[in-house]
């Protein structure tokens, strides 16, 4: 398959981006790619500090998929080595460091979840420990000599911490350099990242020059705020919609976003066409249209993107049954009580909580109800012969207990 003309490729590549730096360089790279019938090497580095992907990650993953669809070589660089350093981007303190084993375990989950967006048949997955672990101290000194402290301190988070007299460890300066060495190693033509990664991506360009390589073009993508509409989407803030959430959870979480975020979610989560976004903006200005109805369509579109149309409709119906009709779902799991059991043990066995710690936290937040009454006792025991009990966990999880 031949490549599309440069202008057509640029139109697709530029959609939804924050910056293309420098645009003219990317044009030249695409022209050369077509002339030599050689795909560009497009890099996305991921920090496996957590095992869970959410739709905030989908913004940059979708752009990598765009390059795949255009016939270019996508490379997912798993930062299992750099995760041991800890990227301080957008942080006012040093990030916790992971062991290599922890990073690799998270990376496996990351790759598996990314399959819903990326074409795994053509995707190359590399671990940067492969080359960074081989560097000796002389190599590190040589690499460090190619970048100045003055330029490193220009990074916003370093500047803020320096001015606030918050400690900056020496190893943190090595993170941007190590990430840049990934670009040198794979000779990347293009690197993608969120706007919070701009400094690191620019260091990659600089270091490639130092190693006599043509510097990569960089493309930054906007960050998506979480369901709270304030902080960027993150599991740390509990404002995320996971890529592997159930259809019902995905739909329900989307319905909780602020009306002001509807347009942005259409752009960055559903990747709607420009005409669709303009139509949504007009509808939101129309006082006769309830934003909730627009949000329902948005929730269905999001679920359909990761599941299918039928599942999206079922998720909507389940939401209506629970929240609109104020009833309980028909298809909730059933637990048969055979011996007296602690409520947390039951919920854990049914995988309705991830751990007893989560269960205790939910009880502390009055988020677990039994037959409509708040359960405030972490030692609550369900006895054999209890009859039928309906347990509600949070807003969307239910369990029928039969004894």
């Amino acid at each position: 398959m031949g490549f599309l003309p440069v202008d057509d490729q640029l139109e697709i590549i530029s959609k939804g981006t924050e910056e293309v730096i420098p645009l003219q360089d990317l044009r030249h790279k695409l022209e050369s790619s077509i002339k030599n019938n050689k795909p560009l090497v497009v890099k996305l580095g991921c920090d496996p500090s957590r095992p869970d992907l959410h739709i905030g990650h989908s913004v940059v993953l979708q752009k990598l998929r765009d390059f795949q669809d255009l016939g270019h070589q996508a490379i997912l660089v798993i930062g299992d080595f750099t995760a041991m350093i800890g990227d301080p981007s957008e942080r006012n303190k040093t990030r916790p460091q992971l062991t290599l084993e922890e990073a690799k375990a998270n990376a496996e989950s990351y790759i598996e979840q990314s399959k819903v967006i990326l074409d795994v048949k053509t995707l190359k997955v590399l671990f940067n420990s492969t080359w960074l672990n081989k560097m000796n101290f002389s190599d590190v000194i040589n690499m460090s000599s190619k970048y100045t402290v003055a330029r490193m301190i220009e990074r916003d988070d370093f500047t803020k911490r320096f001015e606030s007299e918050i400690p900056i460890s020496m190893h943190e300066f090595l993170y941007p350099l190590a990430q840049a060495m990934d670009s040198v190693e794979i000779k990347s033509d293009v690197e993608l990242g969120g706007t919070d990664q701009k400094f690191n991506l620019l260091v990659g360009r600089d270091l490639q020059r130092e190693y006599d390589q043509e510097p990569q073009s960089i493309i930054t993508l906007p960050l998506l705020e979480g369901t709270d509409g304030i902080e960027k989407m993150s599991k740390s803030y509990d404002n995320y919609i996971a890529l592997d959430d159930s259809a019902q959870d995905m739909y329900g979480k989307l319905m909780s976003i602020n009306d002001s975020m509807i347009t942005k979610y259409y752009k960055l989560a559903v990747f709607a066409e420009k005409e669709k976004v303009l139509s949504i903006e007009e509808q939101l200005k129309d006082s006769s249209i309830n934003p909730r109805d627009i949000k329902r369509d948005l929730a269905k579109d999001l679920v359909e993107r990761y599941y299918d149309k039928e599942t999206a409709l079922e998720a909507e119906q389940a939401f209506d049954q629970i929240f609109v009709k104020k009833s309980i779902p028909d298809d909730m799991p059933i637990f048969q009580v055979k011996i007296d059991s602690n409520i947390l043990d039951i919920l854990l066995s049914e995988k309705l909580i991830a751990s007893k710690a989560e269960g205790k936290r939910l009880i502390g937040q009055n988020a677990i109800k039994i037959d409509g009454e708040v359960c405030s006792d972490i030692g609550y025991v369900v006895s054999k012969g209890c009859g039928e009990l309906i347990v509600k966990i949070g807003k969307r999880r239910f369990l029928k207990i039969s004894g």
Side-chain angles (χ1 to χ4, degrees), residues 357-370:
E358 182 193 7
K360 290 176 183 178
R361 176 176 60 80
L362 289 170
I363 286 177
Q365 296 171 346
N366 296 329
I368 294 180
K369 293 182 179 181
I370 301 176

Side-chain angles (χ1 to χ4, degrees), residues 81-347:
F81 186 92
T82 40
M84 294 191 296
I85 303 174
D87 181 14
S89 293
E90 297 295 300
R91 304 278 172 161
N92 61 5
K93 61 181 180 180
T94 305
R95 262 193 186 179
Q97 296 166 250
L98 273 66
T99 66
L100 198 58
E101 291 71 25
E102 289 171 330
K104 282 187 179 296
N106 288 350
E108 291 301 323
S109 175
Y110 193 120
I111 296 166
E112 183 62 32
Q113 292 170 72
S114 70
K115 290 179 180 178
V116 297
I117 298 174
L118 300 177
D119 178 4
V120 295
K121 296 176 191 168
T122 62
L123 179 70
K124 282 187 180 179
V125 179
L126 303 175
F127 291 80
N128 67 6
S129 61
T130 305
W131 50 88
L132 293 179
N133 250 339
K134 293 178 181 176
M135 294 180 71
N136 59 35
F137 198 56
S138 294
D139 297 326
V140 173
I141 291 173
N142 181 52
M143 174 187 70
S144 302
S145 71
K146 299 181 185 299
Y147 216 80
T148 67
V149 172
R151 290 177 69 188
M152 193 66 73
I153 209 71
E154 289 173 3
R155 180 166 152 164
D156 285 345
D157 47 343
F158 285 151
T159 301
K160 291 174 185 174
R161 286 165 62 186
F162 182 75
E163 291 174 350
S164 302
E165 298 184 356
I166 297 173
I168 303 171
S169 298
M170 287 296 294
H171 78 278
E172 293 180 79
F173 282 169
L174 295 177
Y175 188 98
L177 293 175
Q179 181 174 321
M181 283 303 296
D182 298 345
S183 296
V184 172
E185 175 68 26
I186 68 171
K187 297 181 174 61
S188 65
D189 296 306
V190 181
E191 183 169 12
L192 312 177
T195 52
D196 58 341
Q197 288 291 310
K198 182 177 176 179
F199 181 91
N200 291 348
L201 306 185
L202 287 170
V203 176
R205 281 175 55 82
D206 294 337
L207 217 59
Q208 281 182 308
R209 286 193 192 94
E210 293 292 333
Y211 283 88
D212 297 321
Q213 294 181 13
E214 183 179 348
Q216 62 189 12
S217 297
I218 66 174
I219 297 176
T220 61
L221 286 302
L223 302 177
L224 180 65
E225 289 85 356
T227 52
D228 58 0
I230 301 171
E231 303 286 354
K232 76 173 183 178
M233 188 171 288
S234 169
K235 192 169 184 183
S236 301
Y237 299 126
D238 196 25
N239 65 356
Y240 68 102
I241 302 174
L243 291 185
D244 60 357
D245 267 344
S246 70
Q248 290 186 26
D249 279 349
M250 198 173 277
Y251 188 101
K253 288 180 181 180
L254 203 288
M255 289 299 294
S256 72
I257 69 170
N258 190 284
D259 294 346
S260 64
M261 295 296 296
I262 291 175
T263 301
K264 191 164 189 179
Y265 269 66
Y266 258 113
K267 289 179 181 177
L268 301 183
V270 178
F271 303 99
E273 295 297 329
K274 185 177 181 180
E275 294 74 17
K276 175 73 172 179
V277 173
L278 291 173
S279 173
I280 294 301
E281 290 174 340
E282 289 302 313
Q283 291 178 53
L284 288 169
K285 293 176 186 176
D286 189 342
S287 59
S288 68
I289 299 176
N290 190 332
R292 182 183 179 86
D293 294 331
I294 302 173
K295 206 184 299 182
R296 286 168 66 87
D297 289 337
L298 172 61
K300 276 194 297 187
D301 288 344
L302 182 71
V303 175
E304 186 175 337
R305 176 175 177 80
Y306 292 103
Y307 289 90
D308 53 55
K309 197 166 189 174
E310 183 179 353
T311 305
L313 184 59
E314 290 172 354
E316 181 180 56
Q317 292 169 344
F319 180 87
D320 287 347
Q321 188 173 31
I322 297 170
F323 294 98
V324 180
K325 300 175 184 175
K326 302 296 183 184
S327 60
I328 60 176
D330 295 325
D331 59 348
M332 74 182 86
I334 300 174
F335 180 85
Q336 190 74 37
V337 179
K338 296 179 180 178
I339 58 172
D340 293 357
S341 304
N342 180 274
I343 186 64
L344 296 183
D345 289 330
I346 293 174
L347 298 182

Side-chain angles (χ1 to χ4, degrees), residues 38-86:
K38 182 181 179 182
L40 297 180
V41 173
V42 185
K43 169 197 171 190
L44 172 61
C46 62
D47 174 10
S49 56
R50 290 183 177 274
D52 305 289
L53 287 180
H54 50 65
I55 63 171
H57 294 113
S58 73
V59 180
V60 69
L61 288 171
Q62 181 58 49
K63 187 54 58 183
L64 188 62
R65 177 59 189 258
D66 288 344
F67 273 100
Q68 286 185 297
D69 291 342
L70 289 170
H72 298 293
Q73 178 60 65
I75 298 184
L76 192 63
V77 177
I78 305 293
D80 59 332
F81 186 92
T82 40
M84 294 191 296
I85 303 174

